[in-house]
Amino acid sequence: MTRWLTWPAGVGDEAALIRLEAESFGARSWGENSLDASFQTPGVAVLFAGASKTSPVGFAIWRDLTSEAELLSIGVLPNVRKRALGAALLGAVRAAARKAGAKKLFLEVDAGNTAALALYQRNGFVEIGRRRAYYRDGADALAMQVQL
Ligand SMILES: CC(C)(COP(=O)(O)OP(=O)(O)OC[C@H]1O[C@@H](n2cnc3c(N)ncnc32)[C@H](O)[C@@H]1OP(=O)(O)O)[C@@H](O)C(=O)NCCC(=O)NCCS
């Protein structure tokens, strides 16, 4: 089993993030402009993951809101899915948020996103609310949270 590394993305990593996000999300990608804007939002941090720091194959974007934190996006390239990379990224976000003083980590997820729901449920997230027809295609959003 591959031992995944996780590390903070930094200045100069924007292009790699845009590529990883586009390949992970396909038609549901945020797009370059939103990603650039989030990179520059105070409190937003990006983590990369992979077998080596020269080739990230997954990413997570989270926001430090002082006593709370929010997972804004997480993605893994299709050819390395179901190999615990998402779980490694989530663990790294949880550790970083805890270190920053957050007591809870929140997220919103498409209620039909089986893979993401499996990842979150297996890592301790519980549903705390549902927004009906939240997404453009009419899908519900689930709000989830885990204590840190
Ligand atoms: C969601 C995503 C990040 C999961 O990444 P991953 O590296 O495949 O996840 P992991 O291998 O760490 O899986 C974590 C758990 O979820 C389960 N899981 C993952 N994908 C699954 C799927 N398609 N169906 C059922 N269970 C799944 C795994 O079996 C694992 O459970 P286990 O710990 O009991 O073995 C990945 O599928 C992805 O990038 N999807 C597209 C982008 C996306 O939808 N992001 C989330 C919304 S913001």
Side-chain angles (χ1 to χ4, degrees):
M1 202 170 164
T2 313
R3 270 187 72 118
W4 300 116
L5 303 174
T6 58
W7 65 96
V11 179
D13 284 330
E14 286 90 343
L17 175 66
I18 288 163
R19 179 185 59 82
L20 279 175
E21 199 267 351
E23 287 181 28
S24 302
F25 278 88
R28 300 196 101 180
S29 164
W30 284 3
E32 194 169 331
N33 291 343
S34 302
L35 285 168
D36 273 342
S38 67
F39 227 124
Q40 283 155 31
T41 305
V44 171
V46 179
L47 291 172
F48 279 168
S52 119
K53 289 195 178 180
T54 53
S55 55
V57 289
F59 73 94
I61 308 176
W62 69 281
R63 186 169 188 181
D64 175 11
L65 299 161
T66 312
S67 60
E68 295 168 359
E70 184 178 7
L71 182 70
L72 299 174
S73 184
I74 185 167
V76 165
L77 292 184
N79 61 341
V80 284
R81 285 185 190 159
K82 289 202 174 186
R83 289 174 55 194
L85 186 55
L89 276 161
L90 208 48
V93 170
R94 288 177 65 160
R98 202 181 312 121
K99 203 170 162 193
K103 304 279 182 263
K104 293 175 189 173
L105 179 63
F106 287 99
L107 59 83
E108 256 164 27
V109 58
D110 182 329
N113 189 338
T114 317
L117 281 175
L119 170 67
Y120 302 145
Q121 284 163 351
R122 292 226 199 344
N123 287 277
F125 281 84
V126 292
E127 186 181 326
I128 53 165
R130 178 182 282 260
R131 293 182 176 170
R132 301 226 174 258
Y134 181 74
Y135 294 104
R136 238 178 301 172
D137 63 1
D140 291 355
L142 298 183
M144 303 184 87
Q145 137 188 328
V146 68
Q147 303 287 334
L148 297 175

